[in-house]
């Protein structure tokens, strides 16, 4: 080893030890006859002291090193005169006797500090330098710890980690696949998995009983800020279970992770139906760190000649606790905010429930004090609260109110990243109509699309509706939502060949297409498939939630940007004609 | 849960408990008024008893189920009259009170038994049924245990598991890459990693100090029986280390695995130079479970007018202990074996060291008793041993003798799968000449090729030879070999930009090519790259070694066949024109 100790471990108890350290120069201070260097490695920072009295020539050499040089020193651990209580090694320093430069460094394009001067793009291009920063490394250390604890928990419950293949078959019912031309099977392609869904179901058919995998998945979609073309799932499946068993098992995992990683005792996780989530939060992933539930006001506000409300499909209010003191200016600004196209409200009505008990609204022309009392009762407002009302077409208004609720939560400091509120959302619709989702192939538009995936079992109570009103069928599916973020989801699966065939039919597959793409699964169901179900958690997102960040990128060692590019290695890139020819493909882009 | 217990856990101490079990019908016996069903799940087999006295109708239904039906029963644990000591649950049975068929099964195409009647191809096509067999499941349980123990060991040593990207950049210096067309970056391609090599080195530049990952890698080569297009590595890298530190750390891992998984105390692992491995075993991955080392005989056999020996570049012998009693017929057969094109010997000379101390050879015309005594001394033969001699061109003869040695080891029962002998082979050549390796692009023929990879550091003692005699330069590289199988290997890496540039130059890269493909790594070396090195173990192979199998396929849940096909899901397959068009590629194969 080029060291006897790391830069994070020496203490007063090590005084007088002869040690060798290696690491990076964080900074150096030249005090003439003395030079001090802060030596950094992954484990910490240790102060090195070079002294003219010990070795003048060496002190001169020490003065010549710059930031991020890699050096190795041997010396004696001594007690520091001026101790640094903020650094675990701050009570000692190394009086250096031997000193060697292991590698030089040009000046980095940004400072390797907690508060760096590097912008996003620069830090992505030089990701290997960004990784030297405490914050970035700590994120990845957290991820490592989360993975270890996940495996420990599941291993104890008899889950087997099984690796499923990465080179699989294209199944264009979901989002777009990444494909891989086969050289040995000319004209044919593998696909990269969007999830190991069919394989984990086959493992259940194979009697594996409990499976998990922390696994890379791939989805070729137009990227948003928080999506990556490759992402990691905690993927799980269990046999001989019902929905409750899965929710209990994985609530247990999440509670274990909170306890083991963050020493937080998570309360038990409540269940909420999709219908209730939409009704009270306008959102299938409600942020339940704060209440501010939707109140439907149509009957309360009706009949006062206010056309906007009377003609609206939905009039919905929230009560923002303690916001009655918002100024006119603040409310105008909030109204403008709500009218932005991304939010989509046509206007914003408010009623201040003043500290003196009076209520004043922006529509006093139509509603007198008595009417507004009724608003207050409906919304449960107290003196000091602000009632905000939106009206319009139902779906659009719910969506806008959901955004407004989240915004008010943020403005009122109710979305504290150190607080965690989880819930299971259950009873999702089985199907949704595809109007032309840009993340699906165009040929799939104008059909029913499986909201979860085509293997999800309908709620047995709704079997009959499959034929008469497919859009109303509830799925035996569930999502775990924490702090308004969908952490994962899953379902009880179909394990019956006929029901699976009926499902493919409903999704617009011909029998031949279904057989060609999923024949192996339907055949497997002929041989004694057990009842089974499972779920998958987005591991990147779970890590970012634990780390208190909104961006999954911060928790990925080498992320891609919003165009799917790795700007560090400059990928994707062109490949040679020789390679293309061997793969029997032509690029249609003229170089 | 559709069960209260598994089929593997009930014992005499559970007598009189009311339990519910779910599982597969392994077999059933109809004794008229009684029916017995062996119910199987992953955890074991429990006997179910159906009795006319308890419920006649149910007994009739129980008789109707066939093998592999999925059923659920509730009943009472009772003591068996005739106990089965071979089954952990063999002292009890369940007197069934409630019985439900959860799913039916058609007759499986092969029996779900330890000794199945299914051939390889059938079992691959119905892999989900093969997975139900104890043997296959046990292999994958072993793999799970190996992964857990690997992580535990490395986690304790402060290694961080970091996920590196799967969509990377094509670097055609190694074997062929699988590539992935990018829809969002038209005309460009990602490549799947042959290993995370450059990323783990960048993690070292990023100060991660100790990295590991159990990770899928991809290599598009013409497959042999023991290769898969996607395979799994235990991939590791360390900073501030020398070769010895890496060998010690990972010898520790292997010893930990042997102890934890197989309860075997591995002795310490000896080191052998590549030169010695070739000299004594004709092979860079010698099977050291047995001796039978090569003895070079040129000087011993010279000058007796036997042209075959006198004119041979190499005359080499092995001494097969206790094989003097081989009959003439056996020796003729062995000679024919050695002359097969795969082995390539031109003939085989032998000398029997008989029990009475006399020595008789197949070339007595040229060598008298005294001459043969000299052979015996050189080979260290004892009465009862058989000396086997090959002669010819050096490289070819070493290779043939290596095969003969392994064959004799097998024939003499010296290659016991329950015995393990490990060694580190060190000091490999840095480069090898590419005469036209079919696993490399044709354009790379007639150049030096990095034997390990282009990032391997030359042995510092040989730096000068880089310019004068590149073929003689030793690499700072090492392989772990167990029982004649290369389990893994690695090297100390180049961490200096100039040396790396020199290496690319030697490998025939122009400056522009090197910059285009590996510029990110060489740039990273400008910013204080630490000395570092690492290795990778073939995880599939390590599991198969531990499991006593020659085939890695047995330890992969869903393997591909020798044409790279998954015959279960029928992949690779054609994809739609719509998909191809979106990817801006054309298949040149006319459908």
């Amino acid at each position: 080893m080029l060291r006897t100790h790391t830069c994070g471990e020496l203490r007063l108890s090590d005084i007088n030890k002869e040690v060798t350290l290696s690491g990076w120069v964080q900074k150096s201070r030249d005090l003439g006859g003395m030079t001090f260097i802060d030596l950094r490695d992954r484990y910490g920072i240790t102060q090195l002291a070079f002294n003219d009295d010990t070795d003048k020539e060496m002190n001169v050499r020490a003065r010549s090193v710059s930031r991020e040089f890699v050096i190795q020193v041997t010396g004696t651990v001594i007690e520091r005169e001026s101790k640094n209580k903020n650094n675990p090694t701050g009570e000692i320093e190394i009086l250096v006797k031997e000193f060697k430069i292991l590698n030089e460094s040009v000046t980095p394009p940004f400072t390797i500090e907690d508060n760096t001067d590097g912008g996003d793009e620069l830090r992505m291009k030089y990701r290997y330098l960004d990784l030297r920063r405490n914050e970035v490394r700590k994120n990845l250390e957290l991820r490592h710890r989360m993975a270890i604890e996940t495996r420990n928990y599941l291993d104890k419950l008899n889950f087997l980690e099984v690796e499923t293949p990465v080179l699989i078959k294209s199944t264009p019912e979901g989002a777009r696949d990444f494909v891989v031309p086969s050289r040995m099977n000319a004209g044919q392609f593998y696909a990269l998995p969007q999830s190991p869904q069919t394989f984990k179901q086959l493992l259940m058919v194979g009697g594996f009983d409990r499976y998990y995998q922390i696994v890379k998945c791939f989805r070729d979609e137009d990227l948003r800020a928080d999506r990556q073309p490759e992402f990691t799932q905690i993927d799980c499946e269990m046999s001989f279970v019902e929905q409750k068993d899965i929710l209990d098992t994985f609530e247990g995992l999440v509670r274990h992770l909170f306890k083991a990683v963050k020493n937080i005792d998570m309360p038990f996780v409540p269940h909420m139906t999709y219908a209730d989530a939409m009704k009270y939060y306008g959102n299938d992933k409600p942020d339940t760190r704060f209440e501010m539930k939707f109140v439907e006001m149509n009957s309360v506000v009706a009949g006062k000649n206010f056309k906007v409300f009377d003609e609206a499909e939905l009039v919905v209010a929230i009560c923002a606790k303690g916001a009655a003191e918002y100024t006119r200016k603040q409310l105008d600004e909030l109204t403008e905010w709500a009218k932005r196209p991304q939010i989509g409200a046509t206007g914003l009505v408010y009623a201040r429930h003043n500290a003196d008990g009076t209520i004043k609204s922006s529509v006093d022309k139509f509603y007198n004090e008595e009417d507004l009392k009724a608003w207050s009762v409906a919304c449960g407002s107290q003196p000091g609260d602000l009632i905000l009302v939106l009206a319009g077409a139902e779906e659009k208004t719910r969506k806008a109110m959901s955004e407004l609720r989240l915004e008010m939560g943020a403005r009122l400091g109710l979305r504290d990243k150190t607080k965690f509120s989880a819930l299971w959302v259950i009873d999702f619709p089985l199907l949704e109509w595809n109007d032309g989702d840009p993340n699906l192939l165009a040929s799939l538009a104008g059909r029913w699309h499986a909201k979860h995936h085509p293997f999800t079992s309908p709620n047995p109570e709704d079997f009959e509706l499959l034929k008469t009103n497919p859009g109303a069928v509830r799925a035996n599916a569930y999502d775990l939502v924490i702090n308004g973020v969908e952490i994962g989801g899953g379902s009880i699966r179909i394990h019956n060949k006929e029901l699976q065939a009926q499902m493919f039919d409903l999704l617009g597959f011909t029998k031949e297409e279904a057989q060609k793409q999923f024949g192996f699964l339907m055949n497997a169901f002929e041989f004694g498939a057990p009842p089974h179900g499972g779920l998958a958690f987005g591991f990147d997102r779970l890590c970012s939630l634990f780390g208190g960040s909104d961006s999954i990128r911060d928790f990925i060692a080498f992320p891609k940007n919003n165009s799917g590019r790795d700007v560090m290695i400059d990928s994707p890139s062109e490949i040679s004609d020789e390679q293309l020819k061997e793969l029997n493909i032509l690029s249609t882009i003229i170089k």
Side-chain angles (χ1 to χ4, degrees), chain A residues 280-300:
Chain A
Y280 294 117
Y281 301 95
N283 196 321
D284 61 2
K285 35 181 190 285
D287 185 345
T288 50
R289 276 174 297 187
F290 61 104
E291 283 271 325
M292 218 187 281
K293 283 186 188 173
F294 287 15
V295 181
E296 293 179 13
M297 300 283 283
N298 294 58
S299 61
V300 180

Side-chain angles (χ1 to χ4, degrees), chain A residues 138-146 261 543 546-547 555:
Chain A
K138 286 208 167 103
N139 288 345
L140 291 163
E141 284 172 346
L142 171 74
R143 186 178 177 115
H144 167 76
R145 186 52 43 208
M146 301 272 289
V261 176
C543 291
F546 270 63
F555 294 79

Side-chain angles (χ1 to χ4, degrees), chain A residues 290 292 326 404-415:
Chain A
F290 61 104
M292 218 187 281
Y326 263 41
L404 181 60
R405 174 182 174 273
L406 291 172
E407 178 67 17
M408 287 308 295
R411 292 188 184 199
L412 296 171
L414 303 172
R415 301 181 72 187

Side-chain angles (χ1 to χ4, degrees), chain A residues 218-418:
Chain A
F218 306 86
R219 205 172 290 162
D220 184 11
E221 40 184 18
D222 299 322
L223 300 176
R224 300 198 304 263
D226 59 343
R227 292 283 177 111
Q228 288 277 317
E230 54 178 299
F231 54 97
T232 304
Q233 284 187 183
I234 305 174
D235 190 52
C236 305
E237 198 79 4
M238 303 171 80
S239 288
F240 302 116
V241 290
E242 295 169 299
Q243 178 173 298
K244 178 184 184 312
D245 305 313
I246 294 184
L247 301 196
D248 289 350
T249 304
F250 292 98
E251 178 173 331
L253 170 60
V254 170
R255 288 160 54 79
H256 171 75
L257 289 175
F258 271 108
K259 187 65 189 175
V261 176
K262 296 188 78 74
N263 197 26
I264 288 176
D265 289 296
M266 270 284 276
F268 288 94
V269 176
H271 299 187
M272 184 185 297
T273 63
Y274 172 84
D276 278 354
M278 295 309 290
K279 182 176 172 70
Y280 294 117
Y281 301 95
N283 196 321
D284 61 2
K285 35 181 190 285
D287 185 345
T288 50
R289 276 174 297 187
F290 61 104
E291 283 271 325
M292 218 187 281
K293 283 186 188 173
F294 287 15
V295 181
E296 293 179 13
M297 300 283 283
N298 294 58
S299 61
V300 180
V301 301
K304 304 291 172 178
N305 295 321
F306 184 43
K307 270 195 165 178
V308 173
F309 281 180
D310 285 350
E311 291 174 1
E313 192 179 6
L314 177 71
V315 181
V316 63
I318 54 174
C319 172
K321 292 275 161 206
E325 288 176 17
Y326 263 41
T327 62
R328 177 64 190 263
K329 195 176 158 199
Q330 281 177 298
L331 288 162
D332 286 349
E333 184 269 326
L334 193 64
T335 305
E336 288 313 308
W337 181 91
K339 286 163 77 177
R340 295 186 313 159
Q342 304 95 301
I343 311 302
T346 46
L348 173 64
V349 168
Y350 58 84
R352 285 203 194 85
H353 195 150
N354 296 312
D356 62 7
T358 60
I359 307 180
K360 297 294 275 179
S361 83
S362 57
V363 285
D364 280 359
K365 209 158 73 175
F366 302 100
Y367 298 93
N368 63 27
E369 183 85 16
E370 204 57 40
D371 298 332
L372 295 176
K373 281 264 159 66
W375 290 26
S376 166
V377 170
C379 296
S381 74
Q382 301 292 323
D385 295 349
L386 176 68
I387 294 170
L388 297 169
V389 192
L390 297 181
E394 170 150 8
E395 197 179 338
K396 200 172 167 190
T397 305
R398 278 197 196 285
K399 188 184 160 297
M401 186 51 108
S402 171
E403 296 293 337
L404 181 60
R405 174 182 174 273
L406 291 172
E407 178 67 17
M408 287 308 295
R411 292 188 184 199
L412 296 171
L414 303 172
R415 301 181 72 187
D416 178 350
K417 284 195 197 308
T418 66

Side-chain angles (χ1 to χ4, degrees), chain A residues 52-71:
Chain A
D52 268 1
D53 298 343
T54 318
D55 185 336
K56 192 161 183 175
E57 178 273 337
M58 191 170 69
N59 194 8
V60 171
R61 280 195 296 130
R63 257 180 267 165
S64 76
V65 305
S66 307
R67 283 197 290 138
E68 301 307 317
F69 271 46
V70 186
I71 65 173

Side-chain angles (χ1 to χ4, degrees), chain A residues 27 124 134 140 177 192 230 257 262 270 341 371 401 436 471 491 498 521 524 537 553 574:
Chain A
K27 64 179 178 193
M124 289 284 277
N134 274 324
L140 291 163
D177 286 322
L192 303 183
E230 54 178 299
L257 289 175
K262 296 188 78 74
D371 298 332
M401 186 51 108
S491 62
E498 284 72 36
L521 187 67
F537 288 138
R553 242 191 246 177
E574 289 171 10

